[in-house]
Amino acid sequence: MSLSHSAGFPHVVITRRVPQHILDYMASAADLQLWEEDHPIPYQTLLDRVPGCAGVYCLLTDRIDAALLDAAGPGLKVISQMAVGVDNIDVKACTARGIPVGNTPGVLTETTADLALALMLATARRIVEAAEFLKAGQWQTWRPMELTGQDVYGCTVGIIGLGRIGTAVARRLRGFDCKLLYTNPSPNPEAEKLGVTDVDLETLLKSSDIVTLHCPLTPETRGLIGAGELALMKPTAILINTARGAVVDQKALFEALQARRIGAAGLDVTDPEPMSKDDPLLTLPNVVVLPHIGSASVATRTRMAQLAADNLVAGLQGEHLPHCVNPEVYD
Ligand code: GLV
């Protein structure tokens, strides 16, 4: 799709189709060049498309690096990502070139927190395993200890990253009478009011029945949960990841789960994505893996697409982005 306007209208590269009314809204402010396929645009194709563009509207599946920014040239005014995590974007390189980067925080918080709870319940109560058991015709009778799992109610949950989503998860878990711990690079002033106790990572890992990850992927958090950290966890503990796959060393996780050094894992994110259907993790009964659907409700994905469009249009018009990850570009 390429909508033509009069000369001088800014050119924008869009890396995936979003709802039509949002494309129409962006088309009122720019000439859009849309990647029509239903899979990620190859990096080289994106590189070929960006020269002279004023904006890029992208997804977490696209690599936005310094070479791409240089290929776009000096007219590039905004990078707008339809996601809250921006680990696929070289934000430093954008900042160095004065390019604001937009993301979509807030609108996906509650939906993603719901999914974290769904994974906790699915793994603790062995929901997927039980449904498969029934489908396989193995349900013969009601047995006192068959498919027994663990209670989420009343357990201790360690939240790694008490930001927006971590806080929404904590609010939900208060309703389950859980004891809540957290660790953050800097203390969250809301924690006490939320009833969440600040501890160090080691204490959190040793004390929690469920460890749930809500930190961004950064150089500091890459591989944060490796063999050493998994070894600190209780043998019954459950690891939940709705953040980014690379926060966890997946090979170490497989080994810990297989050896029953931890109890179970619920993953909405993997490294790499998509996860291969032959991945060894998928052979384990105590693992639930989902295809990165944390924010996937119709309402939330639509709000994300709209917010990313708002960021894009603001950037094209030289206004501050409603949600900018590198506001220092405005200093
Ligand atoms: C999804 O993972 C997002 O970062 O929005």
Side-chain angles (χ1 to χ4, degrees):
M1 173 184 175
S2 192
L3 289 181
S4 287
H5 290 274
S6 53
F9 222 58
H11 181 71
V12 165
V13 175
I14 302 189
T15 66
R16 207 77 64 83
R17 180 169 279 286
V18 292
Q20 189 59 45
H21 71 277
I22 297 170
L23 288 174
D24 294 343
Y25 163 71
M26 291 190 279
S28 68
D31 286 333
L32 308 183
Q33 189 179 15
L34 175 65
W35 172 251
E36 294 273 9
E37 306 295 323
D38 202 17
H39 55 81
I41 184 169
Y43 177 75
Q44 186 56 50
T45 309
L46 186 55
L47 208 56
D48 293 343
R49 286 189 178 193
V50 293
C53 77
V56 177
Y57 182 107
C58 57
L59 306 189
L60 50 79
T61 47
D62 306 313
R63 173 156 54 99
I64 308 291
D65 59 10
L68 194 109
L69 302 175
D70 290 341
L76 182 60
K77 293 167 95 173
V78 57
I79 300 285
S80 178
Q81 165 132 308
M82 187 198 145
V84 64
V86 291
D87 46 279
N88 57 310
I89 300 175
D90 186 341
V91 176
K92 265 198 195 137
C94 293
T95 306
R97 291 160 180 75
I99 300 164
V101 177
N103 70 337
T104 63
V107 294
L108 49 67
T109 300
E110 303 300 333
T111 304
T112 308
D114 280 353
L115 192 86
L117 265 287
L119 281 172
M120 289 178 199
L121 290 163
T123 47
R125 297 299 305 275
R126 304 171 61 183
I127 302 288
V128 175
E129 201 186 334
E132 293 300 328
F133 173 87
L134 182 146
K135 277 194 208 161
Q138 290 175 295
W139 187 22
Q140 292 165 346
T141 182
W142 190 92
R143 297 194 174 103
M145 298 308 285
E146 189 157 76
L147 288 166
T148 46
Q150 302 177 46
D151 288 318
V152 173
Y153 160 82
C155 80
T156 298
V157 181
I159 300 171
I160 298 184
L162 190 68
R164 290 185 202 85
I165 298 172
T167 297
V169 167
R171 274 195 280 105
R172 283 161 175 73
L173 290 170
R174 287 184 63 170
F176 282 71
D177 275 349
C178 291
K179 179 173 175 204
L180 301 172
L181 310 174
Y182 85 100
T183 183
N184 256 14
S186 53
N188 181 328
E190 301 297 312
E192 202 181 321
K193 210 169 66 200
L194 265 170
V196 191
T197 306
D198 188 356
V199 293
D200 58 37
L201 180 61
E202 185 174 333
T203 306
L204 183 145
L205 293 168
K206 283 182 174 164
S207 318
S208 299
D209 300 300
I210 298 177
V211 173
T212 184
L213 301 172
H214 300 290
C215 52
L217 177 62
T218 63
E220 293 73 38
T221 63
R222 184 174 288 278
L224 180 71
I225 304 298
E229 289 70 28
L230 293 162
L232 293 174
M233 290 169 65
K234 297 182 184 181
T236 50
I238 297 172
L239 180 71
I240 302 295
N241 191 3
T242 55
R244 283 292 183 270
V247 176
V248 177
D249 174 343
Q250 228 162 257
K251 191 167 168 283
L253 177 64
F254 171 75
E255 285 163 7
L257 286 161
Q258 193 185 37
R260 290 274 174 184
R261 284 199 297 276
I262 70 167
L267 311 175
D268 182 45
V269 288
T270 61
D271 180 29
E273 291 185 2
M275 175 182 262
S276 158
K277 72 173 181 41
D278 301 321
D279 193 287
L281 274 170
L282 300 178
T283 63
L284 301 177
N286 49 344
V287 177
V288 175
V289 188
L290 300 175
H292 204 147
I293 58 165
S295 60
S297 72
V298 175
T300 290
R301 285 282 169 86
T302 306
R303 279 195 292 260
M304 289 165 67
Q306 181 63 53
L307 183 48
D310 292 341
N311 281 332
L312 179 92
V313 171
L316 294 177
Q317 294 174 348
E319 293 163 10
H320 284 207
L321 312 193
H323 288 285
C324 184
V325 299
N326 56 345
E328 58 274 26
V329 293
Y330 300 121
D331 290 345

